[in-house]
Amino acid sequence: RYGGLRSAGFDLPAFSLELFRSQQRRRIFAPPDFVFPLISLLMIEATIKDLDPLTDFQAIARPIVSDSLLDAAEEDPAAAEEDRVRSH
């Protein structure tokens, strides 16, 4: 539902609420360091939509998330595999 949307069409509060409800149903609870980036984006979402409604956040975030996952896998392969399995 949210894949490929540009900033003008992406509703961060709705996405966040859906994400947290999905996690709660599956008894997955996000640590604070997961929540803080969402709060930061909420603070600037309207400004970004006004300045550049065609910004593709997912394309910008993709390499950052990939690098983070690779770093986590190198630090603790067992935990990274557990996270990967749990997310599917």
Side-chain angles (χ1 to χ4, degrees), residues 44-61:
I44 62 170
E45 180 183 31
T47 302
I48 292 171
K49 285 182 176 185
D50 287 343
L51 293 176
D52 190 358
L54 299 180
T55 298
D56 186 346
F57 284 108
Q58 294 171 45
I60 294 167

Side-chain angles (χ1 to χ4, degrees), residues 55-68:
T55 298
D56 186 346
F57 284 108
Q58 294 171 45
I60 294 167
R62 199 169 290 120
I64 297 166
V65 171
S66 294
D67 288 348
S68 176

Side-chain angles (χ1 to χ4, degrees), residues 26 28 69 80-88:
R26 290 165 178 79
I28 299 170
L69 291 173
E81 177 63 14
E82 183 179 312
D83 289 345
R84 186 192 69 74
V85 169
R86 197 175 345 158
S87 69
H88 287 93

